[in-house]
Amino acid sequence: MKQLFPHSLLITLAACVFVGCGNSSTAPESTGATETTTPASTSTVLLTSEPAGAKEVIDARKTAQNDEEVVLVGRIGGSENPWVDNRAVFSIVDNSLKACSDIPGDGCEKPWDYCCETDKLPTATALIKVVDDKGTLINEDARKLLNLKELQTVVVKGKAQRDDTGNLTVFANGIFVRN
């Protein structure tokens, strides 16, 4: 009898969790109104025309100085997960590198990880942190905020920041998505 109570409790808790999960998975994730609502910060960050003078990532990594205004172009990727959850942060890769999907016959399931070019990635990626008009990092997932996807080509403008190992971060206040 003493062992029956803990087992009954576990079964009850498991049933509650299962039922709870079942209810949440059948609920709609969002309404149409929510999906069409654009966060206010998007209007200031998402550009309608491409900024001139974009440099490729590799070139920008060689020449950009701290706090310099830069414009660079690249494709979203560089790892299995190029995103930072719940932040407007992602990585881009120089356009000279080939994603696995650019190689005929390659069946890579996550071609944006550039697994065929891993030796070149350390010098061909940049981290993009999207900031608002006050320079504050936007705490919203870039995929939702800007409707971005892996392997999209983006042109970003903002301030460069270098670390001691030469990595390049751009605090982007403008993003243009190429079609």
Side-chain angles (χ1 to χ4, degrees):
M1 185 69 168
K2 289 181 181 178
Q3 292 181 349
L4 184 58
F5 178 72
H7 291 292
S8 297
L9 181 60
L10 285 175
I11 292 170
T12 302
L13 286 173
C16 289
V17 169
F18 179 74
V19 169
C21 290
N23 285 341
S24 65
S25 67
T26 57
E29 292 182 18
S30 63
T31 65
T34 301
E35 292 174 355
T36 58
T37 301
T38 303
S41 56
T42 300
S43 62
T44 60
V45 175
L46 203 53
L47 302 174
T48 56
S49 61
E50 183 172 337
K55 292 183 176 181
E56 291 289 337
V57 175
I58 291 173
D59 186 29
R61 286 180 61 102
K62 292 177 183 172
T63 60
Q65 302 295 315
N66 279 340
D67 298 324
E68 179 184 354
E69 288 289 330
V70 295
V71 177
L72 66 151
V73 60
R75 291 171 78 186
I76 297 171
S79 65
E80 283 188 33
N81 182 8
W83 313 100
V84 175
D85 291 338
N86 302 316
R87 300 285 185 271
V89 178
F90 56 92
S91 60
I92 62 172
V93 177
D94 193 274
N95 283 322
S96 67
L97 273 64
K98 288 186 175 187
C100 300
S101 56
D102 299 333
I103 301 169
D106 192 305
C108 184
E109 292 181 15
K110 296 181 178 179
W112 55 87
D113 67 1
Y114 288 78
C115 62
C116 301
E117 302 262 23
T118 54
D119 58 325
K120 298 175 185 170
L121 281 175
T123 58
T125 59
L127 184 65
I128 309 301
K129 294 183 174 183
V130 183
V131 296
D132 63 17
D133 56 351
K134 296 176 183 164
T136 304
L137 178 66
I138 297 174
N139 291 328
E140 189 170 341
D141 196 299
R143 292 167 283 193
K144 293 179 183 174
L145 176 70
L146 303 167
N147 196 26
L148 297 175
K149 297 182 289 190
E150 295 87 357
L151 293 178
Q152 279 185 309
T153 299
V154 293
V155 179
V156 300
K157 69 175 193 122
K159 284 193 174 185
Q161 187 69 49
R162 308 297 303 263
D163 68 13
D164 293 338
T165 58
N167 293 315
L168 174 63
T169 298
V170 176
F171 292 88
N173 56 16
I175 307 237
F176 178 79
V177 180
R178 285 186 181 169
N179 289 324

